[in-house]
Amino acid sequence: MTGDCLENGLVRTIAGNQAVVVVTRTEACGACAARGACHALGGEKEDLALTLDNEIGAQEGDTVAIRMPSDPIVRISAILYLVPALALLSFATCGFLLASQAGIAGDTGTIVGAVAGLLSGFGASRLLGTRLRRKGEGVPRMTAIVNRSEENRK
C-alpha cells in the first residue's frame, strides 16, 4: 500500500470489539493522500474521533498506531459522488424520452426521472459503500499499541 497515512491516537473507550480512538491532526495530515477521507469523517475539528475494530487488544488510555489506506479513496469518492450524478442524468434523459413518446410534457418526465435517478443512485452508492466496508477497503485500522497506559501496565 503506497501513500498510506500513519498517525497515533489515544483510545478513549472500549465497547465490545470496538474502540473509540481520538486522533489529533498534525502538520503531516496536510501532506497525506487520505486527508480528504479524514476531512469527511470529522470536518474541520482538530481532534478526530474514530470508531475502529479493536483487533490488537488495545485498552482505554493506550496510544495506538492507526493506518488509513489512501489507494481506495478515489474509488470510494467516485462511488459516493459519481454514481448518483450519473444515475440522475441517465434517468432524467430516459424520463424525458418516455414522456415525449407518451405525449406528456417533457419537463414532467425529466423531473420524475431525475428524482428517481437520484434516489436509485444514492441507494446504489449505499450498497456499494457497504460492500467496500465489508471488504475493509478504505477503512482505518489500528496496527499496533505504541504505548500502554500506566493502569494497563499493572
mmCIF file of all heavy atoms in Angstrom, residues 1 4-11 17-21 23 34 37-38 41 48 50-58 63-70 72-73 76 130-146:
data_model
loop_
_atom_site.group_PDB
_atom_site.id
_atom_site.type_symbol
_atom_site.label_atom_id
_atom_site.label_comp_id
_atom_site.label_asym_id
_atom_site.label_seq_id
_atom_site.Cartn_x
_atom_site.Cartn_y
_atom_site.Cartn_z
ATOM 1 N N MET A 1 0.844 -1.178 0.000
ATOM 2 C CA MET A 1 0.000 0.000 0.000
ATOM 3 C C MET A 1 0.886 1.237 0.000
ATOM 4 O O MET A 1 1.686 1.431 0.907
ATOM 5 C CB MET A 1 -0.900 0.016 1.231
ATOM 6 C CG MET A 1 -1.962 -1.035 1.193
ATOM 7 S SD MET A 1 -3.184 -0.839 2.501
ATOM 8 C CE MET A 1 -2.418 -1.752 3.810
ATOM 9 N N ASP A 4 -0.011 5.518 2.350
ATOM 10 C CA ASP A 4 -0.891 5.383 3.498
ATOM 11 C C ASP A 4 -0.581 6.474 4.507
ATOM 12 O O ASP A 4 0.557 6.881 4.676
ATOM 13 C CB ASP A 4 -0.723 4.023 4.169
ATOM 14 C CG ASP A 4 -1.271 2.883 3.326
ATOM 15 O OD1 ASP A 4 -1.876 3.169 2.282
ATOM 16 O OD2 ASP A 4 -1.092 1.728 3.716
ATOM 17 N N CYS A 5 -1.618 6.910 5.200
ATOM 18 C CA CYS A 5 -1.456 7.896 6.256
ATOM 19 C C CYS A 5 -1.291 7.143 7.565
ATOM 20 O O CYS A 5 -2.113 6.284 7.896
ATOM 21 C CB CYS A 5 -2.689 8.800 6.308
ATOM 22 S SG CYS A 5 -2.570 10.080 7.553
ATOM 23 N N LEU A 6 -0.219 7.436 8.277
ATOM 24 C CA LEU A 6 0.056 6.799 9.563
ATOM 25 C C LEU A 6 -0.039 7.858 10.649
ATOM 26 O O LEU A 6 0.554 8.926 10.536
ATOM 27 C CB LEU A 6 1.449 6.173 9.564
ATOM 28 C CG LEU A 6 1.709 5.144 8.471
ATOM 29 C CD1 LEU A 6 3.165 4.751 8.448
ATOM 30 C CD2 LEU A 6 0.836 3.927 8.682
ATOM 31 N N GLU A 7 -0.765 7.551 11.695
ATOM 32 C CA GLU A 7 -0.967 8.510 12.775
ATOM 33 C C GLU A 7 -1.148 7.755 14.081
ATOM 34 O O GLU A 7 -1.532 6.587 14.082
ATOM 35 C CB GLU A 7 -2.205 9.352 12.453
ATOM 36 C CG GLU A 7 -2.275 10.696 13.118
ATOM 37 C CD GLU A 7 -1.083 11.598 12.868
ATOM 38 O OE1 GLU A 7 -0.892 12.074 11.738
ATOM 39 O OE2 GLU A 7 -0.339 11.824 13.833
ATOM 40 N N ASN A 8 -0.864 8.392 15.200
ATOM 41 C CA ASN A 8 -1.106 7.811 16.509
ATOM 42 C C ASN A 8 -2.371 8.399 17.103
ATOM 43 O O ASN A 8 -2.699 9.564 16.853
ATOM 44 C CB ASN A 8 0.075 8.077 17.451
ATOM 45 C CG ASN A 8 1.305 7.292 17.076
ATOM 46 O OD1 ASN A 8 1.222 6.285 16.386
ATOM 47 N ND2 ASN A 8 2.458 7.745 17.522
ATOM 48 N N GLY A 9 -3.064 7.597 17.900
ATOM 49 C CA GLY A 9 -4.285 8.058 18.543
ATOM 50 C C GLY A 9 -4.402 7.493 19.944
ATOM 51 O O GLY A 9 -3.746 6.508 20.293
ATOM 52 N N LEU A 10 -5.261 8.104 20.745
ATOM 53 C CA LEU A 10 -5.477 7.696 22.125
ATOM 54 C C LEU A 10 -6.817 6.986 22.241
ATOM 55 O O LEU A 10 -7.844 7.520 21.819
ATOM 56 C CB LEU A 10 -5.465 8.926 23.037
ATOM 57 C CG LEU A 10 -5.676 8.671 24.523
ATOM 58 C CD1 LEU A 10 -4.508 7.873 25.092
ATOM 59 C CD2 LEU A 10 -5.847 9.987 25.257
ATOM 60 N N VAL A 11 -6.798 5.772 22.799
ATOM 61 C CA VAL A 11 -8.029 5.001 22.964
ATOM 62 C C VAL A 11 -8.806 5.613 24.131
ATOM 63 O O VAL A 11 -8.329 5.656 25.260
ATOM 64 C CB VAL A 11 -7.725 3.508 23.249
ATOM 65 C CG1 VAL A 11 -9.017 2.740 23.479
ATOM 66 C CG2 VAL A 11 -6.932 2.905 22.100
ATOM 67 N N ASN A 17 -15.831 -5.288 20.755
ATOM 68 C CA ASN A 17 -14.605 -5.351 19.953
ATOM 69 C C ASN A 17 -14.359 -4.039 19.197
ATOM 70 O O ASN A 17 -13.608 -4.015 18.237
ATOM 71 C CB ASN A 17 -14.652 -6.536 18.978
ATOM 72 C CG ASN A 17 -15.700 -6.347 17.898
ATOM 73 O OD1 ASN A 17 -16.623 -5.550 18.048
ATOM 74 N ND2 ASN A 17 -15.563 -7.081 16.822
ATOM 75 N N GLN A 18 -14.997 -2.961 19.634
ATOM 76 C CA GLN A 18 -14.824 -1.644 19.026
ATOM 77 C C GLN A 18 -14.119 -0.710 20.003
ATOM 78 O O GLN A 18 -14.327 -0.791 21.213
ATOM 79 C CB GLN A 18 -16.186 -1.030 18.672
ATOM 80 C CG GLN A 18 -16.999 -1.840 17.671
ATOM 81 C CD GLN A 18 -16.543 -1.586 16.266
ATOM 82 O OE1 GLN A 18 -16.558 -0.470 15.798
ATOM 83 N NE2 GLN A 18 -16.122 -2.634 15.581
ATOM 84 N N ALA A 19 -13.297 0.167 19.473
ATOM 85 C CA ALA A 19 -12.609 1.163 20.289
ATOM 86 C C ALA A 19 -12.831 2.541 19.673
ATOM 87 O O ALA A 19 -12.789 2.693 18.454
ATOM 88 C CB ALA A 19 -11.113 0.857 20.345
ATOM 89 N N VAL A 20 -13.086 3.528 20.531
ATOM 90 C CA VAL A 20 -13.149 4.912 20.069
ATOM 91 C C VAL A 20 -11.762 5.497 20.295
ATOM 92 O O VAL A 20 -11.271 5.556 21.421
ATOM 93 C CB VAL A 20 -14.224 5.725 20.823
ATOM 94 C CG1 VAL A 20 -14.174 7.188 20.395
ATOM 95 C CG2 VAL A 20 -15.605 5.139 20.566
ATOM 96 N N VAL A 21 -11.123 5.891 19.191
ATOM 97 C CA VAL A 21 -9.756 6.400 19.224
ATOM 98 C C VAL A 21 -9.784 7.855 18.779
ATOM 99 O O VAL A 21 -10.367 8.187 17.742
ATOM 100 C CB VAL A 21 -8.831 5.585 18.290
ATOM 101 C CG1 VAL A 21 -7.406 6.100 18.354
ATOM 102 C CG2 VAL A 21 -8.888 4.103 18.642
ATOM 103 N N VAL A 23 -7.734 11.002 17.459
ATOM 104 C CA VAL A 23 -6.502 11.354 16.754
ATOM 105 C C VAL A 23 -6.433 12.873 16.675
ATOM 106 O O VAL A 23 -7.388 13.526 16.259
ATOM 107 C CB VAL A 23 -6.495 10.759 15.323
ATOM 108 C CG1 VAL A 23 -5.238 11.167 14.576
ATOM 109 C CG2 VAL A 23 -6.629 9.254 15.380
ATOM 110 N N ALA A 34 -4.746 10.619 2.139
ATOM 111 C CA ALA A 34 -6.067 10.252 2.658
ATOM 112 C C ALA A 34 -6.733 11.389 3.423
ATOM 113 O O ALA A 34 -7.774 11.198 4.030
ATOM 114 C CB ALA A 34 -5.950 9.033 3.563
ATOM 115 N N ALA A 37 -10.535 11.906 3.131
ATOM 116 C CA ALA A 37 -11.393 10.968 3.851
ATOM 117 C C ALA A 37 -11.493 11.364 5.313
ATOM 118 O O ALA A 37 -12.560 11.326 5.908
ATOM 119 C CB ALA A 37 -10.857 9.550 3.729
ATOM 120 N N CYS A 38 -10.376 11.758 5.906
ATOM 121 C CA CYS A 38 -10.405 12.191 7.301
ATOM 122 C C CYS A 38 -11.251 13.449 7.440
ATOM 123 O O CYS A 38 -11.990 13.603 8.400
ATOM 124 C CB CYS A 38 -8.993 12.449 7.812
ATOM 125 S SG CYS A 38 -8.046 10.932 8.053
ATOM 126 N N LEU A 41 -14.762 12.456 7.493
ATOM 127 C CA LEU A 41 -15.125 11.778 8.733
ATOM 128 C C LEU A 41 -15.297 12.743 9.892
ATOM 129 O O LEU A 41 -16.126 12.527 10.757
ATOM 130 C CB LEU A 41 -14.053 10.738 9.104
ATOM 131 C CG LEU A 41 -13.966 9.502 8.236
ATOM 132 C CD1 LEU A 41 -12.720 8.712 8.600
ATOM 133 C CD2 LEU A 41 -15.203 8.656 8.374
ATOM 134 N N LEU A 48 -10.070 14.165 15.881
ATOM 135 C CA LEU A 48 -10.943 13.302 15.102
ATOM 136 C C LEU A 48 -11.185 12.022 15.897
ATOM 137 O O LEU A 48 -10.237 11.326 16.257
ATOM 138 C CB LEU A 48 -10.270 12.977 13.763
ATOM 139 C CG LEU A 48 -10.967 12.022 12.820
ATOM 140 C CD1 LEU A 48 -12.294 12.599 12.355
ATOM 141 C CD2 LEU A 48 -10.079 11.738 11.626
ATOM 142 N N LEU A 50 -12.527 8.313 15.964
ATOM 143 C CA LEU A 50 -12.807 7.208 15.057
ATOM 144 C C LEU A 50 -13.246 5.983 15.843
ATOM 145 O O LEU A 50 -12.641 5.666 16.876
ATOM 146 C CB LEU A 50 -11.552 6.840 14.255
ATOM 147 C CG LEU A 50 -10.947 7.911 13.373
ATOM 148 C CD1 LEU A 50 -9.596 7.441 12.853
ATOM 149 C CD2 LEU A 50 -11.879 8.232 12.231
ATOM 150 N N THR A 51 -14.272 5.297 15.376
ATOM 151 C CA THR A 51 -14.661 4.019 15.968
ATOM 152 C C THR A 51 -14.061 2.931 15.091
ATOM 153 O O THR A 51 -14.416 2.806 13.918
ATOM 154 C CB THR A 51 -16.198 3.888 16.035
ATOM 155 O OG1 THR A 51 -16.708 4.971 16.810
ATOM 156 C CG2 THR A 51 -16.600 2.575 16.664
ATOM 157 N N LEU A 52 -13.131 2.178 15.677
ATOM 158 C CA LEU A 52 -12.371 1.188 14.920
ATOM 159 C C LEU A 52 -12.498 -0.187 15.554
ATOM 160 O O LEU A 52 -12.752 -0.311 16.758
ATOM 161 C CB LEU A 52 -10.886 1.578 14.904
ATOM 162 C CG LEU A 52 -10.548 2.974 14.393
ATOM 163 C CD1 LEU A 52 -9.077 3.261 14.600
ATOM 164 C CD2 LEU A 52 -10.913 3.115 12.938
ATOM 165 N N ASP A 53 -12.295 -1.218 14.732
ATOM 166 C CA ASP A 53 -12.230 -2.578 15.264
ATOM 167 C C ASP A 53 -10.981 -2.693 16.134
ATOM 168 O O ASP A 53 -9.898 -2.249 15.747
ATOM 169 C CB ASP A 53 -12.157 -3.608 14.132
ATOM 170 C CG ASP A 53 -13.470 -3.732 13.374
ATOM 171 O OD1 ASP A 53 -14.525 -3.398 13.962
ATOM 172 O OD2 ASP A 53 -13.436 -4.145 12.206
ATOM 173 N N ASN A 54 -11.156 -3.290 17.303
ATOM 174 C CA ASN A 54 -10.036 -3.448 18.229
ATOM 175 C C ASN A 54 -9.406 -4.830 18.026
ATOM 176 O O ASN A 54 -9.549 -5.725 18.845
ATOM 177 C CB ASN A 54 -10.514 -3.268 19.675
ATOM 178 C CG ASN A 54 -9.376 -3.227 20.658
ATOM 179 O OD1 ASN A 54 -8.214 -3.221 20.276
ATOM 180 N ND2 ASN A 54 -9.712 -3.216 21.926
ATOM 181 N N GLU A 55 -8.707 -4.983 16.927
ATOM 182 C CA GLU A 55 -8.084 -6.257 16.568
ATOM 183 C C GLU A 55 -6.764 -6.501 17.296
ATOM 184 O O GLU A 55 -6.229 -7.606 17.240
ATOM 185 C CB GLU A 55 -7.841 -6.301 15.052
ATOM 186 C CG GLU A 55 -9.104 -6.144 14.241
ATOM 187 C CD GLU A 55 -8.840 -5.880 12.767
ATOM 188 O OE1 GLU A 55 -7.801 -5.299 12.430
ATOM 189 O OE2 GLU A 55 -9.700 -6.270 11.964
ATOM 190 N N ILE A 56 -6.251 -5.482 17.976
ATOM 191 C CA ILE A 56 -4.935 -5.616 18.606
ATOM 192 C C ILE A 56 -5.027 -5.693 20.130
ATOM 193 O O ILE A 56 -4.001 -5.739 20.801
ATOM 194 C CB ILE A 56 -4.007 -4.463 18.179
ATOM 195 C CG1 ILE A 56 -4.585 -3.104 18.601
ATOM 196 C CG2 ILE A 56 -3.745 -4.503 16.685
ATOM 197 C CD1 ILE A 56 -3.645 -1.944 18.393
ATOM 198 N N GLY A 57 -6.222 -5.683 20.675
ATOM 199 C CA GLY A 57 -6.387 -5.807 22.126
ATOM 200 C C GLY A 57 -6.027 -4.549 22.899
ATOM 201 O O GLY A 57 -5.595 -4.632 24.042
ATOM 202 N N ALA A 58 -6.224 -3.391 22.291
ATOM 203 C CA ALA A 58 -5.936 -2.128 22.975
ATOM 204 C C ALA A 58 -6.936 -1.916 24.110
ATOM 205 O O ALA A 58 -8.055 -2.437 24.076
ATOM 206 C CB ALA A 58 -6.007 -0.973 21.988
ATOM 207 N N THR A 63 -2.007 4.329 23.716
ATOM 208 C CA THR A 63 -1.723 5.044 22.479
ATOM 209 C C THR A 63 -1.509 3.993 21.398
ATOM 210 O O THR A 63 -0.727 3.063 21.583
ATOM 211 C CB THR A 63 -0.467 5.927 22.619
ATOM 212 O OG1 THR A 63 -0.682 6.853 23.679
ATOM 213 C CG2 THR A 63 -0.181 6.684 21.333
ATOM 214 N N VAL A 64 -2.227 4.132 20.285
ATOM 215 C CA VAL A 64 -2.159 3.132 19.214
ATOM 216 C C VAL A 64 -1.766 3.778 17.894
ATOM 217 O O VAL A 64 -2.008 4.962 17.668
ATOM 218 C CB VAL A 64 -3.517 2.393 19.054
ATOM 219 C CG1 VAL A 64 -3.851 1.593 20.290
ATOM 220 C CG2 VAL A 64 -4.641 3.362 18.725
ATOM 221 N N ALA A 65 -1.146 2.983 17.029
ATOM 222 C CA ALA A 65 -0.818 3.411 15.666
ATOM 223 C C ALA A 65 -2.014 3.099 14.772
ATOM 224 O O ALA A 65 -2.606 2.026 14.869
ATOM 225 C CB ALA A 65 0.417 2.683 15.165
ATOM 226 N N ILE A 66 -2.369 4.054 13.914
ATOM 227 C CA ILE A 66 -3.506 3.897 13.005
ATOM 228 C C ILE A 66 -3.013 4.087 11.581
ATOM 229 O O ILE A 66 -2.244 5.002 11.292
ATOM 230 C CB ILE A 66 -4.603 4.933 13.314
ATOM 231 C CG1 ILE A 66 -5.118 4.726 14.731
ATOM 232 C CG2 ILE A 66 -5.745 4.840 12.314
ATOM 233 C CD1 ILE A 66 -6.014 5.822 15.216
ATOM 234 N N ARG A 67 -3.468 3.214 10.694
ATOM 235 C CA ARG A 67 -3.129 3.294 9.268
ATOM 236 C C ARG A 67 -4.416 3.551 8.480
ATOM 237 O O ARG A 67 -5.377 2.817 8.596
ATOM 238 C CB ARG A 67 -2.489 2.000 8.801
ATOM 239 C CG ARG A 67 -2.169 1.973 7.310
ATOM 240 C CD ARG A 67 -1.596 0.632 6.898
ATOM 241 N NE ARG A 67 -0.363 0.327 7.606
ATOM 242 C CZ ARG A 67 0.853 0.664 7.168
ATOM 243 N NH1 ARG A 67 0.994 1.294 6.042
ATOM 244 N NH2 ARG A 67 1.922 0.350 7.865
ATOM 245 N N MET A 68 -4.381 4.624 7.671
ATOM 246 C CA MET A 68 -5.506 4.945 6.791
ATOM 247 C C MET A 68 -5.030 4.735 5.362
ATOM 248 O O MET A 68 -4.206 5.498 4.859
ATOM 249 C CB MET A 68 -5.944 6.400 6.997
ATOM 250 C CG MET A 68 -7.017 6.856 6.036
ATOM 251 S SD MET A 68 -8.572 6.038 6.352
ATOM 252 C CE MET A 68 -9.571 6.710 5.048
ATOM 253 N N PRO A 69 -5.509 3.656 4.702
ATOM 254 C CA PRO A 69 -5.060 3.411 3.325
ATOM 255 C C PRO A 69 -5.594 4.486 2.378
ATOM 256 O O PRO A 69 -6.762 4.849 2.444
ATOM 257 C CB PRO A 69 -5.642 2.041 2.992
ATOM 258 C CG PRO A 69 -6.753 1.835 3.956
ATOM 259 C CD PRO A 69 -6.459 2.665 5.165
ATOM 260 N N SER A 70 -4.727 5.001 1.533
ATOM 261 C CA SER A 70 -5.142 6.084 0.637
ATOM 262 C C SER A 70 -5.519 5.595 -0.758
ATOM 263 O O SER A 70 -6.205 6.292 -1.486
ATOM 264 C CB SER A 70 -4.032 7.124 0.526
ATOM 265 O OG SER A 70 -2.858 6.524 0.030
ATOM 266 N N PRO A 72 -7.704 3.323 -1.988
ATOM 267 C CA PRO A 72 -9.110 3.203 -2.374
ATOM 268 C C PRO A 72 -9.923 4.488 -2.242
ATOM 269 O O PRO A 72 -11.103 4.505 -2.572
ATOM 270 C CB PRO A 72 -9.663 2.133 -1.425
ATOM 271 C CG PRO A 72 -8.693 1.973 -0.341
ATOM 272 C CD PRO A 72 -7.412 2.592 -0.768
ATOM 273 N N ILE A 73 -9.297 5.585 -1.807
ATOM 274 C CA ILE A 73 -10.037 6.822 -1.585
ATOM 275 C C ILE A 73 -10.687 7.329 -2.878
ATOM 276 O O ILE A 73 -11.827 7.773 -2.878
ATOM 277 C CB ILE A 73 -9.127 7.905 -0.968
ATOM 278 C CG1 ILE A 73 -8.629 7.455 0.393
ATOM 279 C CG2 ILE A 73 -9.820 9.241 -0.893
ATOM 280 C CD1 ILE A 73 -9.698 7.202 1.417
ATOM 281 N N ILE A 76 -13.743 5.171 -3.628
ATOM 282 C CA ILE A 76 -14.843 5.460 -2.709
ATOM 283 C C ILE A 76 -15.485 6.803 -3.062
ATOM 284 O O ILE A 76 -16.708 6.942 -3.064
ATOM 285 C CB ILE A 76 -14.346 5.429 -1.254
ATOM 286 C CG1 ILE A 76 -13.959 3.996 -0.878
ATOM 287 C CG2 ILE A 76 -15.398 5.971 -0.296
ATOM 288 C CD1 ILE A 76 -13.194 3.879 0.413
ATOM 289 N N THR A 130 -21.277 -0.167 1.411
ATOM 290 C CA THR A 130 -21.357 -1.240 2.409
ATOM 291 C C THR A 130 -20.501 -2.419 1.979
ATOM 292 O O THR A 130 -19.795 -3.020 2.793
ATOM 293 C CB THR A 130 -22.820 -1.683 2.604
ATOM 294 O OG1 THR A 130 -23.587 -0.557 3.015
ATOM 295 C CG2 THR A 130 -22.937 -2.777 3.622
ATOM 296 N N ARG A 131 -20.530 -2.716 0.711
ATOM 297 C CA ARG A 131 -19.726 -3.825 0.174
ATOM 298 C C ARG A 131 -18.227 -3.563 0.343
ATOM 299 O O ARG A 131 -17.471 -4.443 0.756
ATOM 300 C CB ARG A 131 -20.075 -4.011 -1.293
ATOM 301 C CG ARG A 131 -19.515 -5.223 -1.922
ATOM 302 C CD ARG A 131 -20.050 -5.322 -3.322
ATOM 303 N NE ARG A 131 -19.536 -6.473 -3.983
ATOM 304 C CZ ARG A 131 -19.724 -6.733 -5.246
ATOM 305 N NH1 ARG A 131 -20.427 -5.906 -5.989
ATOM 306 N NH2 ARG A 131 -19.223 -7.808 -5.802
ATOM 307 N N LEU A 132 -17.795 -2.332 0.055
ATOM 308 C CA LEU A 132 -16.389 -1.978 0.223
ATOM 309 C C LEU A 132 -15.986 -2.013 1.696
ATOM 310 O O LEU A 132 -14.892 -2.432 2.046
ATOM 311 C CB LEU A 132 -16.107 -0.588 -0.353
ATOM 312 C CG LEU A 132 -16.045 -0.495 -1.866
ATOM 313 C CD1 LEU A 132 -15.877 0.956 -2.295
ATOM 314 C CD2 LEU A 132 -14.905 -1.330 -2.410
ATOM 315 N N ARG A 133 -16.896 -1.551 2.571
ATOM 316 C CA ARG A 133 -16.613 -1.556 4.002
ATOM 317 C C ARG A 133 -16.424 -2.982 4.506
ATOM 318 O O ARG A 133 -15.562 -3.264 5.318
ATOM 319 C CB ARG A 133 -17.747 -0.862 4.755
ATOM 320 C CG ARG A 133 -17.315 -0.276 6.059
ATOM 321 C CD ARG A 133 -18.378 0.583 6.725
ATOM 322 N NE ARG A 133 -18.999 1.540 5.822
ATOM 323 C CZ ARG A 133 -20.302 1.536 5.498
ATOM 324 N NH1 ARG A 133 -21.118 0.661 6.023
ATOM 325 N NH2 ARG A 133 -20.785 2.430 4.673
ATOM 326 N N ARG A 134 -17.270 -3.902 4.023
ATOM 327 C CA ARG A 134 -17.129 -5.314 4.420
ATOM 328 C C ARG A 134 -15.789 -5.891 3.980
ATOM 329 O O ARG A 134 -15.209 -6.732 4.655
ATOM 330 C CB ARG A 134 -18.265 -6.148 3.836
ATOM 331 C CG ARG A 134 -19.544 -6.005 4.589
ATOM 332 C CD ARG A 134 -20.561 -7.018 4.107
ATOM 333 N NE ARG A 134 -21.863 -6.658 4.604
ATOM 334 C CZ ARG A 134 -22.963 -6.668 3.893
ATOM 335 N NH1 ARG A 134 -22.935 -7.044 2.628
ATOM 336 N NH2 ARG A 134 -24.113 -6.316 4.423
ATOM 337 N N LYS A 135 -15.319 -5.453 2.820
ATOM 338 C CA LYS A 135 -14.018 -5.917 2.332
ATOM 339 C C LYS A 135 -12.870 -5.246 3.089
ATOM 340 O O LYS A 135 -11.724 -5.664 2.977
ATOM 341 C CB LYS A 135 -13.857 -5.585 0.849
ATOM 342 C CG LYS A 135 -14.681 -6.428 -0.079
ATOM 343 C CD LYS A 135 -14.375 -5.996 -1.506
ATOM 344 C CE LYS A 135 -14.991 -6.895 -2.529
ATOM 345 N NZ LYS A 135 -14.663 -6.449 -3.887
ATOM 346 N N GLY A 136 -13.186 -4.187 3.817
ATOM 347 C CA GLY A 136 -12.155 -3.475 4.568
ATOM 348 C C GLY A 136 -11.405 -2.446 3.759
ATOM 349 O O GLY A 136 -10.354 -1.965 4.181
ATOM 350 N N GLU A 137 -11.914 -2.081 2.599
ATOM 351 C CA GLU A 137 -11.223 -1.115 1.751
ATOM 352 C C GLU A 137 -11.483 0.302 2.232
ATOM 353 O O GLU A 137 -12.614 0.707 2.444
ATOM 354 C CB GLU A 137 -11.677 -1.248 0.297
ATOM 355 C CG GLU A 137 -11.230 -2.538 -0.329
ATOM 356 C CD GLU A 137 -11.465 -2.563 -1.818
ATOM 357 O OE1 GLU A 137 -11.283 -1.523 -2.464
ATOM 358 O OE2 GLU A 137 -11.826 -3.620 -2.327
ATOM 359 N N GLY A 138 -10.428 1.074 2.404
ATOM 360 C CA GLY A 138 -10.548 2.467 2.796
ATOM 361 C C GLY A 138 -10.876 2.670 4.261
ATOM 362 O O GLY A 138 -11.190 3.774 4.670
ATOM 363 N N VAL A 139 -10.804 1.607 5.054
ATOM 364 C CA VAL A 139 -11.163 1.694 6.466
ATOM 365 C C VAL A 139 -9.896 1.859 7.299
ATOM 366 O O VAL A 139 -8.963 1.073 7.162
ATOM 367 C CB VAL A 139 -11.921 0.416 6.905
ATOM 368 C CG1 VAL A 139 -12.236 0.460 8.389
ATOM 369 C CG2 VAL A 139 -13.185 0.249 6.086
ATOM 370 N N PRO A 140 -9.861 2.867 8.180
ATOM 371 C CA PRO A 140 -8.703 2.995 9.065
ATOM 372 C C PRO A 140 -8.619 1.791 9.998
ATOM 373 O O PRO A 140 -9.643 1.247 10.412
ATOM 374 C CB PRO A 140 -8.984 4.267 9.866
ATOM 375 C CG PRO A 140 -10.173 4.905 9.259
ATOM 376 C CD PRO A 140 -10.847 3.910 8.399
ATOM 377 N N ARG A 141 -7.397 1.386 10.339
ATOM 378 C CA ARG A 141 -7.195 0.231 11.220
ATOM 379 C C ARG A 141 -6.122 0.558 12.262
ATOM 380 O O ARG A 141 -5.142 1.236 11.961
ATOM 381 C CB ARG A 141 -6.715 -0.973 10.424
ATOM 382 C CG ARG A 141 -7.731 -1.523 9.469
ATOM 383 C CD ARG A 141 -7.290 -2.914 9.009
ATOM 384 N NE ARG A 141 -8.165 -3.469 8.013
ATOM 385 C CZ ARG A 141 -9.378 -3.936 8.240
ATOM 386 N NH1 ARG A 141 -9.879 -3.886 9.440
ATOM 387 N NH2 ARG A 141 -10.106 -4.437 7.267
ATOM 388 N N MET A 142 -6.340 0.025 13.462
ATOM 389 C CA MET A 142 -5.290 0.089 14.472
ATOM 390 C C MET A 142 -4.281 -1.002 14.125
ATOM 391 O O MET A 142 -4.665 -2.147 13.892
ATOM 392 C CB MET A 142 -5.866 -0.163 15.872
ATOM 393 C CG MET A 142 -6.731 0.962 16.378
ATOM 394 S SD MET A 142 -7.144 0.762 18.126
ATOM 395 C CE MET A 142 -8.346 -0.554 18.049
ATOM 396 N N THR A 143 -3.007 -0.635 14.066
ATOM 397 C CA THR A 143 -1.995 -1.604 13.660
ATOM 398 C C THR A 143 -1.081 -2.052 14.794
ATOM 399 O O THR A 143 -0.516 -3.129 14.724
ATOM 400 C CB THR A 143 -1.132 -1.045 12.520
ATOM 401 O OG1 THR A 143 -0.528 0.176 12.955
ATOM 402 C CG2 THR A 143 -1.965 -0.793 11.271
ATOM 403 N N ALA A 144 -0.936 -1.220 15.839
ATOM 404 C CA ALA A 144 -0.036 -1.579 16.943
ATOM 405 C C ALA A 144 -0.329 -0.715 18.154
ATOM 406 O O ALA A 144 -0.861 0.383 18.028
ATOM 407 C CB ALA A 144 1.421 -1.395 16.525
ATOM 408 N N ILE A 145 0.043 -1.250 19.304
ATOM 409 C CA ILE A 145 -0.024 -0.466 20.532
ATOM 410 C C ILE A 145 1.334 0.197 20.694
ATOM 411 O O ILE A 145 2.356 -0.474 20.823
ATOM 412 C CB ILE A 145 -0.364 -1.347 21.753
ATOM 413 C CG1 ILE A 145 -1.746 -1.972 21.562
ATOM 414 C CG2 ILE A 145 -0.293 -0.525 23.042
ATOM 415 C CD1 ILE A 145 -2.115 -3.021 22.587
ATOM 416 N N VAL A 146 1.348 1.516 20.634
ATOM 417 C CA VAL A 146 2.599 2.269 20.716
ATOM 418 C C VAL A 146 3.027 2.418 22.177
ATOM 419 O O VAL A 146 4.201 2.292 22.498
ATOM 420 C CB VAL A 146 2.435 3.663 20.060
ATOM 421 C CG1 VAL A 146 3.680 4.505 20.224
ATOM 422 C CG2 VAL A 146 2.064 3.509 18.595
#
